[in-house]
Amino acid sequence: TALVCVVAYAAIVTFSSAVPWVFVDEYTYAWLAKHDGDLELAQRVGIVSILAQSFLYFKVYALTFASGLGATELAKALNLCFWLGSGAAAYLAARRLLSRPQAAAFALVALLSPWVIYVRLFMPEAMYVFGFWLCVAGFVWSWTPDNPRGEALLGTGLGALALVKSHAILLLPGFLVGIAVALLLGGRPSLRRLAGFGARAGILVL
């Protein structure tokens, strides 16, 4: 029942005209998605900004224009799928440390956060939040104090996430601190591992 209510709530926020919310960046994102992130063409018409770096987002959301149906409504439907997927990924991440009821409550809070308003906009936030929780889930389930594969997976994930929104680079310091704390608690402090993760993730993101 709770899941049905959450899906219904997200769908109402996504498609209801009763939520009057417009964001100027929608035009830029929609235009670039329609033209497959063509930066040369964007320069010619004067649409050049940091938003133009969201190449993976443009590839995925270009499908909304290729279908021949309403691009805006299809983009909202994609946003809704990514948003609900972010709840599943948040649950998976929390399940590593919490019981099922606690993990479900955690995912519910993540889904019902104020960020849900972005599901109705032609912008990459829903896809970005999904990618973030996917990175967290992949990391917490693969990381061990004696093996850097979790850091390699996280670095690759952050690199892909930077192609959705370049803001992913701002996540690096937080993850570095988290890994340092985990290594200290695991009794295996290693500046070399931290430096290695920072370098790999930084290269992938940039």
Side-chain angles (χ1 to χ4, degrees):
T1 305
L3 181 59
V4 172
C5 290
V6 169
V7 173
Y9 170 74
I12 289 170
V13 172
T14 303
F15 296 106
S16 174
S17 59
V19 186
W21 190 273
V22 179
F23 206 91
V24 67
D25 288 347
E26 282 189 276
Y27 175 79
T28 303
Y29 280 119
W31 191 95
L32 287 165
K34 183 177 182 179
H35 295 89
D36 203 21
D38 190 330
L39 297 185
E40 186 177 337
L41 183 59
Q43 284 181 330
R44 272 188 261 149
V45 299
I47 301 179
V48 178
S49 70
I50 192 172
L51 306 183
Q53 310 306 316
S54 303
F55 300 111
L56 182 56
Y57 172 77
F58 299 143
K59 288 292 182 184
V60 173
Y61 279 73
L63 299 174
T64 63
F65 291 96
S67 66
L69 302 173
T72 302
E73 296 307 308
L74 286 175
K76 288 180 179 181
L78 264 178
N79 285 346
L80 182 58
C81 291
F82 279 124
W83 191 259
L84 295 175
S86 71
Y91 171 82
L92 187 62
R95 190 68 187 89
R96 183 74 170 85
L97 304 169
L98 305 173
S99 67
R100 287 182 181 178
Q102 290 172 329
F106 179 87
L108 191 62
V109 170
L111 278 174
L112 298 181
S113 70
W115 282 89
V116 72
I117 195 67
Y118 280 98
V119 297
R120 66 178 289 101
L121 304 178
F122 206 122
M123 292 174 66
E125 270 69 17
M127 187 177 180
Y128 179 80
V129 171
F130 170 71
F132 167 77
W133 282 117
L134 213 55
C135 284
V136 174
F139 176 71
V140 298
W141 280 100
S142 63
W143 187 86
T144 57
D146 56 353
N147 194 315
R149 68 175 179 273
E151 291 132 52
L153 182 63
L154 178 60
T156 303
L158 287 178
L161 197 57
L163 297 178
V164 177
K165 275 180 77 75
S166 56
H167 300 63
I169 194 169
L170 301 177
L171 299 174
L172 269 176
F175 278 119
L176 279 169
V177 171
I179 292 170
V181 170
L183 286 172
L184 286 171
L185 292 176
R188 295 174 182 269
S190 173
L191 290 176
R192 183 177 179 181
R193 265 181 75 172
L194 283 174
F197 165 71
R200 284 193 301 270
I203 290 170
L204 286 165
V205 169
L206 294 173

